[in-house]
Amino acid sequence: MSVTVPALDIAIRPEHYQRLAEKIAGKPEERIVSYLMLRSLKQARYAAEPLGHFALAFDQYTHFTSPIRRYPDLIVHRVLKWALDHPEARPANITHEIPKKDDSTFGPYRRGELDAISTETSETERRAETAERELMAWKTAQFMEQHLGEEYDALIISVQKFGFFVELTEIFVEGIVPITRIEELTGEQTFYRDRDHAIVSGSGGGGRRHGPSHEAGHKKKNGRGAARSEHVWKLGNRIRVRAERIDPIRRRVEFSPLS
């Protein structure tokens, strides 16, 4: 039976995430739900306005880290130093909003300068994160090249039309199981089923099939009464995989499912 849940207009607050994290603590689904919770959050950005911190549930928040010394932290240090050197100055009321005129000042900076610094540092951090991911992918591929043919327990963390991504439970490595590998394993027609975001093999109905979902290994009968198996791979499933090859272009590990 297929059930459609209507879209709800809910104001999501930090305590919702906190309660969910408490409920799933120690349960089998904790890893995948935690992963999805992180994926649902917007990327952080720097701003002149006091936007707060959603995850920490703070209305007021700023950087003041050490010894990391990010440039935004240096800006905060300069503003605080200026405030200590000018105790007679009355700071802007930042509880609600910093004045948005470019000629307004906030400590040693003008508002326009803070806006420009916020934009530039946010973009720089995105570039740094992209470079870090590329480096991690390269080093992961380099490491796994020495372990091709080995088998691992894995968790399905994302399902796409071209296959599904897994994370190995024994070592922190992610890779893909291409849909072509699944077809090689099952010898059956394989497709992406949109209604439950699953990879299905053996149903013979293509992407248009809308019958009940069956987990891997479930026996069905075709029109002639012969038993056959339908295999389904979905988000959160735990499977056994084998490292097959390294995609040299994407620097990505490709796995084959073992069951």
Side-chain angles (χ1 to χ4, degrees):
M1 180 174 116
S2 177
V3 178
T4 301
V5 179
L8 301 176
D9 185 13
I10 302 175
I12 302 298
R13 298 188 298 274
E15 51 264 34
H16 294 140
Y17 282 80
Q18 295 168 0
R19 290 171 188 166
L20 180 57
E22 292 171 357
K23 287 183 178 180
I24 63 175
K27 295 183 179 180
E29 61 270 22
E30 178 180 10
R31 176 67 188 89
I32 190 62
V33 175
S34 298
Y35 175 84
L36 294 175
M37 287 169 63
L38 289 174
R39 289 282 300 271
S40 71
L41 296 173
K42 290 183 178 180
Q43 288 185 312
R45 67 179 179 89
Y46 298 108
E49 297 91 348
L51 301 178
H53 194 294
F54 179 82
L56 298 178
F58 289 164
D59 292 331
Q60 304 290 334
Y61 174 83
T62 187
H63 273 275
F64 193 80
T65 54
S66 177
I68 297 176
R69 305 293 189 203
R70 291 189 179 96
Y71 187 63
D73 305 322
L74 179 59
I75 300 301
V76 174
H77 296 174
R78 288 172 178 170
V79 172
L80 290 174
K81 185 176 184 300
W82 182 93
L84 292 173
D85 292 340
H86 300 79
E88 74 287 352
R90 294 180 62 85
N93 181 11
I94 62 170
T95 303
H96 298 96
E97 182 180 6
I98 302 173
K100 292 190 175 182
K101 294 182 180 179
D102 286 347
D103 59 352
S104 62
T105 58
F106 185 64
Y109 295 99
R110 291 184 179 277
R111 171 56 193 252
E113 291 177 312
L114 286 178
D115 285 335
I117 291 170
S118 298
T119 300
E120 175 62 24
T121 51
S122 295
E123 293 175 353
T124 300
E125 190 157 309
R126 297 290 173 267
R127 292 195 295 270
E129 290 172 352
T130 299
E132 181 181 0
R133 285 195 298 268
E134 291 178 355
L135 177 61
M136 287 292 293
W138 174 51
K139 298 302 290 185
T140 298
Q142 196 175 50
F143 169 78
M144 289 302 296
E145 197 168 18
Q146 308 171 35
H147 298 276
L148 296 179
E150 296 183 11
E151 300 178 4
Y152 301 91
D153 291 322
L155 177 71
I156 297 178
I157 59 174
S158 177
V159 181
Q160 307 293 330
K161 292 183 179 180
F162 49 84
F164 55 82
F165 289 89
V166 297
E167 180 183 273
L168 305 186
T169 56
E170 300 156 19
I171 52 178
F172 189 69
V173 168
E174 293 182 12
I176 186 172
V177 176
I179 200 167
T180 52
R181 296 279 182 187
I182 302 172
E183 290 176 336
E184 291 173 4
L185 170 71
T186 63
E188 298 278 357
Q189 178 187 11
T190 303
F191 62 92
Y192 173 78
R193 191 164 62 195
D194 185 69
R195 66 176 175 81
D196 56 353
H197 307 289
I199 296 291
V200 183
S201 180
S203 70
R208 297 180 300 275
R209 184 177 181 277
H210 297 288
S213 175
H214 299 270
E215 293 301 329
H218 184 85
K219 297 292 184 180
K220 296 190 68 184
K221 291 187 177 182
N222 58 24
R224 296 182 297 276
R228 59 184 176 81
S229 296
E230 180 187 74
H231 300 265
V232 177
W233 290 269
K234 295 193 295 187
L235 188 70
N237 285 166
R238 296 184 179 275
I239 65 171
R240 188 80 174 169
V241 297
R242 178 172 56 241
E244 291 290 350
R245 67 181 290 270
I246 306 298
D247 185 328
I249 304 299
R250 297 183 176 88
R251 296 188 179 94
R252 191 165 63 190
V253 188
E254 290 187 3
F255 295 96
S256 289
L258 296 181
S259 63

